[in-house]
Amino acid sequence: MSEPVLRKGSVRGPEPGDAPLPREAEAGARPLVSVVLFCSQREVKPLEVFEDLHAWLASSGLDHQIVIALDGDRRSLYERFRERIAGLDRIEVVILNSRQGQLATIRAGMAVAAGRYLVTYPAYPQVQPESIPTVLEMLQKGADYVVGYRGRRRDSIFNRLASRLFNRFVRNATGLRFRDIACGMHGVQRGAMVRIPNYGDNQVFLPILAAREGMKVREIEVVQNPDEPRLRVFSPAVYLRRALSLVTLAFLVRFTQKPLRPFGALGVAIFLVGMVLSVILVYQRLFGNQPLADRPMLLLALLLVTAGIQVVILGLLGELLIYLHFRDQATYRVDEETGEDAGPDGPPSS
Amino acid sequence: MTRAPARFDLSVVIPVYNEEESIPRLVEELRGALEPLDRTFEILLIDDGSSDDSWRAIRDAAAGYAPVRGIRLTRNFGQTGALMAGIDLSEGEIVVTMDGDLQNDPADIPMLVAKIEEGYEIVTGWRKRRQDRWFTRKLPSRVANWMVRKATGVTIRDQGCALKAYRGRVIRNVSLYSDFHRFIVPLTQMGGARIAEVETHHRPRRFGRSKYGLGRTLRVLADLTTLLMITRFSDRLFLWFFLFAVPPLLLGVLATIWMILVALSPYESMLVPIGSAVLMLQTVFAVGAFGLLAEKIRQLAPLRRRRGDRVLAMRIDPRTESPTALLIRNGQATPLVGRSGPTPAPPGR
């Protein structure tokens, strides 16, 4: 079992006094697990992946359901699924009307899923269905969100480098340490999913926002699919899009509580550079006998001074917004209390 | 937020982060200090996502001594979050906060409680003989205290002492976020709380490691600027932002004079003086516009965040001349002392 992935991060949670997460509130006729097979943008052997998943689930005896979630630009894929799933029960299909991206597709799949635990499963060869029980077990032990990582990766050096770069970036930006942010196999408690704010365009936003909400996010090793191509190169637009979502994410997680800290530091730095330049120019005018009025450097110095002031003020406006609205986001979440509930011996994660 | 009447006379709120060795001793000392007081009390130990066995120590303490209540947060939320959790969940008429590292002495609590019962709403500890390193701990703290005093006008000597006592109804109405626990006194004081300061003991750290360092000073400076805006200027934001426009305004006037002088002399180029004047005066307008934007933002904010949202007052009965301390919130007055709900309307109306 892995360490909690949370290292540090900003403080957010539900309104204080909120009830703990409804973990298994609505049991009844629900299947134990809904596997959300999502397909957005990347499409490699989706039917084969479905076959594997379905065959494995059927033979495993798990109380399950498969939700096929297709993004708008993958609607034609349904034609290929239709014959295959005719006559099968425990299958749901949801197709977005237009292209909305990976996260929206996953969310749509989860919205129609009935299971008590939700597991996402990419519709391209990446992971093996044998890992589903591992993820489930972790959820049943009390984790709110489980992120898979592919242990012992078989990959080209290029993919490993790219992946390491993105993981490192996420760690620096959010303070959360994920081993494999590109792994599409995640598990989440039904009740926890409702609480994760709808934000972002990439699946990696989910665990990060969950952690920020104070949920228990854990990481677990899953089995890599041997059919996963060793070298996967995408168009530059894909990398750019990923990088931009990460910048958004960094801003979302890092600077939201105290905008004056980064903006103030930046603004003061710009201001000081401008001041130093101005002092040099004035000194040269007074003692170096250099004229001031025909030196464009003076304009640069003044520009820096005024820009610095304005950056600081933007930070202050941010502070004001947060002060006036922060109550929507409380600052802690209670996990357990002594005396209220005996509970299992010790926390599940240690 | 309407709350049930206080269940205890006293709540002691202690955020705990990796203090497993200190907890048994801490609880023992609290027991020795609180039991002779002859008041009902609870001890809240808030485990702020410790990575050591603090939670086990807290559960053992709760199992062994009934007034102890342990609360565990889902992860490390920082001292502000832990403190808020404890304060929100406390049910005492008086709330005492302290650190879990044994540097505060529980034997000081009765003194703080007595001060509250004298009629103060906040009592802060003052670590007169502080047992810490001078350069990394005491000096930054001195500077920070001085700046907080200047910025907020709250004249207490030691903002950083975690040992404080509050009237429960006052502190449960203050919400803090992200590191604002350092400024809990000025934020509470916004409503007009009466503050007393008492000298407390401070002991050298016995177990574990200090969780502070020198690097936080810059962050404190930024936070302090925010605090200044919130406590002093939140009902005149345009003025506050305009303060930032004063230097460019002065420079702009100078640049204009210079421009005129240059225009009168035939030898020098006009471009740079004109540019300087325009740039400076434009900044004045931009900053003024930011100020107006700020006013608009405040106007659209929920009522509860405005200044004057919580006001502490004193009602004096003219016949007996006995004062009653009141908290006025949303147009409703609640007495601060005693276990009743909102005050009944005065007779004859």
Side-chain angles (χ1 to χ4, degrees), chain B residues 144-178:
Chain B
N145 279 326
W146 180 81
M147 289 192 303
V148 173
R149 271 203 302 275
K150 288 289 156 210
T152 64
V154 173
T155 55
I156 62 173
R157 274 166 289 212
D158 186 5
Q159 301 274 355
C161 181
L163 184 59
K164 295 189 178 82
Y166 309 88
R167 184 59 69 186
R169 287 207 182 98
V170 174
I171 191 63
R172 279 192 283 264
N173 271 306
V174 175
S175 11
L176 306 174
Y177 63 100
S178 183

Side-chain angles (χ1 to χ4, degrees), chain A residues 191-210:
Chain A
M193 190 60 209
V194 183
R195 288 220 180 252
I196 301 178
N198 191 357
Y199 196 91
D201 59 353
N202 191 297
Q203 191 177 8
V204 74
F205 278 77
L206 287 176
I208 289 168
L209 289 170

Side-chain angles (χ1 to χ4, degrees), chain B residues 319-339:
Chain B
R319 278 159 301 181
T320 60
E321 290 193 352
S322 66
T324 320
L326 296 177
L327 170 70
I328 298 165
R329 200 151 184 276
N330 298 332
Q332 268 211 324
T334 318
L336 281 178
V337 188
R339 301 189 174 188

Side-chain angles (χ1 to χ4, degrees), chain A residues 3 12 14 24 34 38 40 96 106 108 126 192 195 198 202 217 224 228 250 260 275 280 293 311 329:
Chain A
E3 275 267 317
R12 289 294 157 82
E24 291 172 26
S34 292
F38 63 95
S40 166
L96 303 189
I106 291 173
Q126 189 192 46
R195 288 220 180 252
N198 191 357
N202 191 297
V217 180
Q224 188 181 14
E228 180 164 24
L260 190 58
M275 282 307 277
I280 291 172
V311 170
Q329 308 145 331

Side-chain angles (χ1 to χ4, degrees), chain B residues 209-231:
Chain B
R209 223 162 40 78
S210 167
K211 282 100 192 170
Y212 295 114
L214 194 60
R216 66 195 168 125
T217 316
L218 276 179
R219 274 175 290 153
V220 171
L221 204 62
D223 290 356
L224 204 59
T225 314
T226 305
L227 187 74
L228 180 65
M229 172 171 75
I230 291 169
T231 54

Side-chain angles (χ1 to χ4, degrees), chain A residues 31-292:
Chain A
L32 182 70
V33 55
S34 292
V35 180
V36 177
L37 185 76
F38 63 95
C39 189
S40 166
Q41 290 155 31
R42 199 153 146 201
E43 180 187 322
V44 186
K45 302 197 225 167
L47 276 144
E48 285 85 337
V49 171
F50 170 78
E51 282 304 340
D52 279 357
L53 177 66
H54 182 253
W56 188 87
L57 280 171
S59 65
S60 71
L62 267 178
D63 181 14
H64 72 277
Q65 174 199 36
I66 297 179
V67 179
I68 298 172
L70 304 178
D71 200 356
D73 58 348
R74 293 284 164 259
R75 53 176 41 249
S76 57
L77 202 55
Y78 177 62
E79 297 303 320
R80 292 165 62 194
F81 269 114
R82 194 160 65 183
E83 269 175 51
R84 180 60 195 85
I85 62 179
L88 295 179
D89 54 351
R90 305 205 277 197
I91 302 243
E92 291 276 347
V93 179
V94 58
I95 307 172
L96 303 189
N97 285 348
S98 63
R99 202 180 80 80
Q100 301 283 341
Q102 185 195 36
L103 186 54
T105 312
I106 291 173
R107 277 191 174 273
M110 287 181 166
V112 301
R116 265 187 284 159
Y117 302 105
L118 312 171
V119 174
T120 60
Y121 199 92
Y124 44 83
Q126 189 192 46
V127 290
Q128 291 279 69
E130 287 88 38
S131 304
I132 292 175
T134 340
V135 172
L136 264 186
E137 192 191 346
M138 196 130 213
L139 290 172
Q140 280 167 329
K141 276 188 188 156
D144 295 305
Y145 199 102
V146 176
V147 186
Y149 67 91
R150 289 162 285 177
R152 287 192 301 280
R153 301 263 297 264
R154 289 171 305 276
D155 248 339
S156 61
I157 291 181
F158 172 77
N159 286 128
R160 250 185 245 173
L161 266 178
S163 142
R164 188 167 290 185
L165 202 70
F166 277 110
N167 291 341
R168 166 74 54 92
F169 187 92
V170 167
R171 178 154 80 233
N172 290 343
T174 65
L176 299 169
R177 191 188 298 263
F178 293 108
R179 289 191 183 84
D180 183 6
I181 58 161
C183 180
M185 191 185 236
H186 293 188
V188 60
Q189 301 264 357
R190 183 181 192 74
M193 190 60 209
V194 183
R195 288 220 180 252
I196 301 178
N198 191 357
Y199 196 91
D201 59 353
N202 191 297
Q203 191 177 8
V204 74
F205 278 77
L206 287 176
I208 289 168
L209 289 170
R212 213 190 54 166
E213 288 290 310
M215 296 178 192
K216 280 190 256 181
V217 180
R218 300 284 182 269
E219 223 178 0
I220 200 165
E221 183 171 337
V222 297
V223 185
Q224 188 181 14
N225 192 318
D227 290 343
E228 180 164 24
R230 279 179 60 92
L231 178 65
R232 300 177 303 278
V233 183
F234 310 112
S235 76
V238 171
Y239 293 109
L240 183 68
R241 200 161 41 223
R242 268 198 215 167
L244 286 180
S245 6
L246 291 179
V247 172
T248 318
L249 197 67
F251 200 79
L252 179 77
V253 172
R254 271 271 153 116
F255 302 142
T256 39
Q257 288 241 309
K258 290 281 174 187
L260 190 58
R261 288 179 181 174
F263 277 97
L266 183 68
V268 168
I270 296 174
F271 179 84
L272 286 180
V273 172
M275 282 307 277
V276 168
L277 270 181
S278 315
V279 167
I280 291 172
L281 291 173
V282 169
Y283 178 84
Q284 288 178 344
R285 170 71 179 83
L286 293 180
F287 304 106
N289 216 10
Q290 282 219 33
L292 193 59

Side-chain angles (χ1 to χ4, degrees), chain A residues 6-17 144 210-216 218 256-258 260-262 264-265 271 275 285 291-307 309-340 342-350, chain B residues 53 55-56 58-59 62 68-78 80-82 84-86 88-89 173-180 182 187 190 218-223 225-226 229-230 234 237 240-241 244-245 247-248 251 258 262 268-277 279-280 282-283 286-287 290-291 293-295 297-302 304-306 309-310 329:
Chain A
L6 198 86
R7 297 282 176 254
K8 56 181 174 172
S10 61
V11 281
R12 289 294 157 82
E15 240 353 275
D144 295 305
R212 213 190 54 166
E213 288 290 310
M215 296 178 192
K216 280 190 256 181
R218 300 284 182 269
T256 39
Q257 288 241 309
K258 290 281 174 187
L260 190 58
R261 288 179 181 174
F271 179 84
M275 282 307 277
R285 170 71 179 83
L292 193 59
D294 58 355
R295 299 192 71 181
M297 181 81 105
L298 181 67
L299 285 183
L300 174 67
L302 294 180
L303 186 66
L304 288 174
V305 167
T306 59
I309 293 176
Q310 292 182 47
V311 170
V312 170
I313 287 179
L314 281 178
L316 273 172
L317 274 179
E319 289 280 344
L320 187 69
L321 276 171
I322 284 166
Y323 173 71
L324 292 172
H325 294 280
F326 79 89
R327 269 214 192 169
D328 309 336
Q329 308 145 331
T331 48
Y332 61 88
R333 179 190 285 273
V334 174
D335 184 15
E336 54 182 310
E337 233 183 277
T338 55
E340 299 256 305
D345 190 42
S349 62
S350 59
Chain B
D53 254 345
W55 179 240
R56 191 171 295 275
I58 291 173
R59 285 199 311 162
V68 174
R69 231 172 115 198
I71 291 149
R72 185 182 188 217
L73 305 185
T74 50
R75 62 170 165 89
N76 181 252
F77 282 94
T80 304
M84 277 316 284
D88 283 345
L89 295 169
N173 271 306
V174 175
S175 11
L176 306 174
Y177 63 100
S178 183
D179 287 352
F180 265 168
R182 291 195 194 107
L187 282 169
M190 274 173 79
L218 276 179
R219 274 175 290 153
V220 171
L221 204 62
D223 290 356
T225 314
T226 305
M229 172 171 75
I230 291 169
S234 66
L237 286 166
W240 161 250
F241 281 91
F244 289 81
L251 285 175
W258 181 38
V262 169
E268 284 184 285
S269 145
M270 279 288 286
L271 189 65
V272 171
I274 292 178
S276 312
L279 192 58
M280 284 301 163
Q282 182 275 336
T283 305
V287 171
F290 280 136
L293 186 61
E295 289 283 355
I297 289 171
R298 194 200 48 163
Q299 188 196 343
L300 295 175
R304 57 174 185 251
R305 299 305 304 174
R306 297 201 192 158
D309 161 40
R310 307 173 304 261
R329 200 151 184 276

